[in-house]
Amino acid sequence: MTTTDPAHARRAGNPRPRHHRVQEFLQPFHTLRNRLIATSLVVVALPIAGVAIALVYQERGAVLVEKEKKLYAITRILDSELGPGFDAYLAGVPGGWDNREAAIRRLSERLTPLTDRVAAAEPGIGVGYYVRRLDAIVTYGPSRDYAYTIGRSIPADHPGREVMALNQPRVTEGSLVRGSILNAMRPIERKGQVIGYVWANETTEAIGLQQRLTYLAAVATALFGFGVAFVLVWVMSHRLAREVDVVVDGLEAMETDLRYRIPPLRDELGVVVDAINGMAKALLDARSLTENILSSVADGIVAVDHRGVVTAINPAAQKLYEVTAEQALGRPYRDLFTSNRTHSALLDTLDSGRTNVGVAVELTRGEHTFKVDASASVLRDGDGRPIGAVVVLKDVSERDRLMVQVMRADRLAALGELTAGIAHEIRNPLTSIRGFLQYLQDCESIEEWRHYGPLIIREVDSLNHIVGELLAFGRPRPPQIDSIDIGELVRETAFLARGRSDAQVAVKLEPGLPGIEGDREALKQAILNLLINAIQALPQGGHVEIAVAAVDAGLVSIAVCDDGVGISPENLAKVFDPFFSTKASGTGLGLAMVHRIVDAHAGTISIDSHIGEGTTVEIRLPIRCPRPDQTSDPAP
């Protein structure tokens, strides 16, 4: 069977069809390469833009800091050039400070050359002095531009007044005499008195021009970096997209042929390709292994999808159903095997999601009928979602035949042991009776007959007791179910057991015990037998405890514990066998009878014993005992 593989065509060197290129052109973001380019450009552009913005704001701040430092330095120069103060410049002025106009004129004449010289050294800078005593500007350089301000007072809200009042330098930005400026002001202090202030300012227009130049430089740098990044991303994405196409084409080829291998690539994609090739080989090996295992398994295995269509069937199932793989695969399971009932386990699991284990069914093949155990479970994918079901069919016909033979052999062996036990138990009294009769046959003394007669009668009674217990064990009467106060029954039985021995018998009852249903006399006999066995196993000074408690699942526990000699491990498995006893005078039917009574009440009995430590026998009885006339329908 041949198929046309577009990925194979591209690998052979055929160009991509024209309509594909047009579609990629019209839908640029539907390809990995273009998405990679767009994503990379966004990833590159955002940091570049962020850095550019940060640089602009940082440079703006740096320019302002630099301007403030320069202006403060100029104010310090002007302050130092003033010397001891304004008084030295007013010598010879008629009226001195009292002649305000003359004082302003003299200070302007003396200080204007200084401020003009400083202003000329720093183009764009405005400097001057303000005299607090005269409340007037005495100089403002360059004087060619600002001589008109000499003699003016500053407004009441002018920052200079705050500088003089607080005796602290200050930088302000706002609209003053020169317009919008950055103004640095320093108080002039002489002999502990603030006599005025000196300033140096620069227009914000000049500062803004410098900042705009910085902004343009940052934008140009960002655009250059973005262009370089675009070229690099374009080249790298083209190369990466080409390599990704190789991987995609290889994966498409592997969908139909796991033996195909993707050509090796460089860098991380090379590692990815190696991993994909390795997983494909592992999957191929696993598929081959699974197929080999299914072919080798002796049990029949059939798998279906969620629609009930057969997706897998191994040779054992083909032989069991007498079909071939071609006849079964792709067809509904129900249509293939409607003549058999095995489909119920599989389809029930498929419909309900419930696991079926060990469902016994029969398969008819010709004139022969085979017994099959069917176990069905849900098939799930890697995410745990159900995708179908599988059934395992085990032919148990031979096993059942062998089990019947084994059970027959076990019954014969048990019958042999029972016969041997009966013969042993009866032989001893018969031997004693025969010996007494032989002795009395030649004896003429009435006294001898009177002496040995009761012994013979006791041996006959012993035989009768053995035969009675054997009949009771072999033909037990059905339990007479009635409501029982289990606590009262245990206390009564314990009282009877105490009368047979000097042993200490303690009763421990859980408060609030529920009443149970059962045969009072039969349970009383079973508990009494356990107590008697426990008492007989006690050394001198021992004691027995019988504890009753309610346990979960609607059961009542009756535990008889003693600190006697215990039972050896090799005898534990035999204690419930008829005629097995470790006591010289025991018949071996007591525990067997207890087991029979507990079984009749749908209960369980267990025994735990350790040599020299004692024995615990626990009976668990249901609170609601099934009636003898109650029957249950077999499971479908």
Side-chain angles (χ1 to χ4, degrees):
M1 176 174 153
T2 60
T3 58
T4 302
D5 185 358
H8 178 73
R10 289 199 296 274
R11 288 193 301 274
N14 295 338
R16 189 183 296 271
R18 181 179 180 83
H19 69 277
H20 283 181
R21 296 197 300 271
V22 173
Q23 185 179 11
E24 290 180 3
F25 177 79
L26 295 177
Q27 298 178 344
F29 295 105
H30 288 186
T31 63
L32 175 63
R33 177 186 176 187
N34 294 339
R35 286 200 304 270
L36 181 62
I37 292 174
T39 304
S40 300
L41 289 180
V42 171
V43 171
V44 172
L46 289 178
I48 291 177
V51 170
I53 294 172
L55 287 176
V56 169
Y57 277 97
Q58 184 177 3
E59 185 62 23
R60 184 176 184 274
V63 169
L64 291 176
V65 171
E66 179 188 354
K67 293 298 182 183
E68 291 177 4
K69 290 181 178 179
K70 183 178 74 171
L71 295 176
Y72 270 133
I74 293 173
T75 60
R76 283 195 296 271
I77 294 172
L78 293 173
D79 188 14
S80 63
E81 289 291 337
L82 184 60
F86 297 115
D87 292 335
Y89 293 98
L90 293 178
V93 175
W97 287 103
D98 294 332
N99 189 348
R100 184 175 182 274
E101 292 184 0
I104 291 173
R105 189 167 48 253
R106 173 62 64 85
L107 289 174
S108 177
E109 292 173 353
R110 296 292 183 88
L111 295 176
T112 295
L114 172 61
T115 55
D116 284 346
R117 186 172 64 251
V118 173
E122 294 289 342
I125 297 297
V127 295
Y129 290 95
Y130 188 87
V131 179
R132 188 176 191 182
R133 189 169 180 178
L134 298 175
D135 192 18
I137 299 172
V138 296
T139 180
Y140 198 155
S143 60
R144 66 178 182 275
D145 296 327
Y146 307 112
Y148 67 89
T149 62
I150 294 175
R152 290 185 179 182
S153 298
I154 59 176
D157 59 349
H158 194 282
R161 296 192 182 278
E162 186 177 355
V163 170
M164 292 185 292
L166 299 177
N167 193 17
Q168 292 180 351
R170 181 178 175 185
V171 174
T172 61
E173 184 176 356
S175 180
L176 296 176
V177 175
R178 296 181 64 192
S180 181
I181 61 172
L182 182 68
N183 193 23
M185 295 167 284
R186 178 179 294 276
I188 303 173
E189 181 182 4
R190 297 293 185 271
K191 297 180 182 180
Q193 296 291 325
V194 176
I195 61 174
Y197 74 92
V198 60
W199 72 83
N201 57 45
E202 186 173 2
T203 61
T204 55
E205 182 180 356
I207 298 173
L209 177 61
Q210 185 175 352
Q211 289 176 341
R212 284 192 295 274
L213 293 175
T214 303
Y215 172 76
L216 291 175
V219 170
T221 302
L223 291 176
F224 176 77
F226 187 78
V228 173
F230 179 81
V231 173
L232 292 177
V233 168
W234 182 273
V235 173
M236 296 301 296
S237 63
H238 182 72
R239 171 190 166 189
L240 180 61
R242 214 171 40 234
E243 294 178 344
V244 169
D245 281 342
V246 173
V247 177
V248 172
D249 294 343
L251 290 174
E252 291 178 356
M254 286 181 177
E255 289 181 358
T256 55
D257 183 11
L258 286 176
R259 293 178 177 81
Y260 177 79
R261 294 294 174 263
I262 302 175
L265 298 175
R266 297 172 296 178
D267 305 327
E268 286 80 0
L269 275 178
V271 178
V272 173
V273 167
D274 292 342
I276 292 174
N277 288 336
M279 286 189 290
K281 184 178 184 305
L283 183 59
L284 181 62
D285 294 343
R287 178 182 294 179
S288 300
L289 178 62
T290 302
E291 291 174 353
N292 290 335
I293 292 175
L294 290 177
S295 300
S296 304
V297 170
D299 297 336
I301 299 176
V302 182
V304 298
D305 61 14
H306 65 281
R307 300 170 301 166
V309 174
V310 177
T311 57
I313 181 169
N314 72 335
Q318 297 173 31
K319 181 179 179 182
L320 197 61
Y321 284 121
E322 293 185 327
V323 296
T324 63
E326 290 76 11
Q327 294 173 329
L329 294 177
R331 295 184 59 189
Y333 185 85
R334 191 187 303 271
D335 295 345
L336 280 173
F337 310 119
T338 51
S339 60
N340 300 304
R341 295 194 312 165
T342 2
H343 73 275
S344 61
L346 178 61
L347 297 182
D348 177 71
T349 296
L350 187 64
D351 294 337
S352 65
R354 182 175 56 250
T355 299
N356 289 288
V357 179
V359 178
V361 295
E362 293 183 352
L363 284 178
T364 302
R365 199 163 61 199
E367 298 180 355
H368 301 283
T369 299
F370 298 89
K371 292 184 178 180
V372 175
D373 275 353
S375 298
S377 59
V378 177
L379 287 177
R380 302 183 184 275
D381 60 12
D383 296 326
R385 294 188 296 265
I387 58 173
V390 62
V391 64
V392 179
L393 308 168
K394 179 184 289 292
D395 186 353
V396 295
S397 301
E398 184 65 18
R399 185 199 67 184
D400 289 352
R401 187 183 65 81
L402 293 176
M403 287 180 61
V404 170
Q405 293 181 357
V406 170
M407 291 174 62
R408 185 181 296 114
D410 288 343
R411 286 196 297 268
L412 290 175
L415 181 60
E417 292 180 2
L418 179 62
T419 303
I422 294 173
H424 175 75
E425 293 297 331
I426 292 179
R427 176 178 294 175
N428 291 335
L430 287 177
T431 301
S432 299
I433 293 172
R434 185 175 185 280
F436 288 140
L437 291 176
Q438 284 179 338
Y439 176 78
L440 294 174
Q441 184 178 6
D442 299 328
C443 180
E444 297 179 357
S445 172
I446 297 300
E447 294 298 328
E448 291 289 339
W449 279 92
R450 288 177 178 175
H451 178 71
Y452 290 107
L455 296 178
I456 295 173
I457 293 173
R458 281 200 299 272
E459 293 298 328
V460 173
D461 290 341
S462 177
L463 284 173
N464 186 54
H465 175 69
I466 293 173
V467 172
E469 285 193 350
L470 182 60
L471 290 174
F473 179 75
R475 291 184 303 188
R477 65 179 179 86
Q480 305 298 313
I481 304 301
D482 198 0
S483 296
I484 302 172
D485 184 341
I486 189 64
E488 179 186 352
L489 178 64
V490 168
R491 281 193 294 265
E492 179 182 337
T493 308
F495 177 77
L496 293 176
R498 291 190 190 100
R500 297 171 178 249
S501 170
D502 296 332
Q504 299 179 7
V505 180
V507 177
K508 182 179 178 182
L509 303 178
E510 183 183 76
L513 283 173
I516 69 171
E517 295 180 349
D519 188 324
R520 177 182 179 85
E521 293 303 320
L523 290 178
K524 183 177 179 180
Q525 178 185 353
I527 296 171
L528 184 60
N529 283 351
L530 293 179
L531 288 173
I532 292 173
N533 280 355
I535 291 172
Q536 292 175 350
L538 291 177
Q540 293 296 328
H543 68 277
V544 177
E545 179 184 88
I546 177 169
V548 185
V551 294
D552 54 359
L555 300 175
V556 171
S557 168
I558 305 170
V560 178
C561 307
D562 66 67
D563 55 0
V565 296
I567 303 173
S568 61
E570 61 271 14
N571 291 334
L572 270 178
K574 306 176 183 178
V575 292
F576 296 113
D577 292 347
F579 296 104
F580 174 80
S581 177
T582 58
K583 294 175 290 189
S585 60
T587 63
L589 290 174
L591 285 179
M593 184 63 69
V594 172
H595 198 289
R596 177 66 63 85
I597 292 171
V598 172
D599 282 345
H601 284 76
T604 60
I605 183 170
S606 61
I607 185 168
D608 182 31
S609 183
H610 301 278
I611 294 295
E613 298 181 8
T615 302
T616 298
V617 181
E618 182 185 21
I619 296 174
R620 290 197 173 193
L621 299 173
I623 294 176
R624 297 289 176 263
C625 181
R627 305 286 174 171
D629 56 345
Q630 289 180 339
T631 57
S632 58
D633 296 332

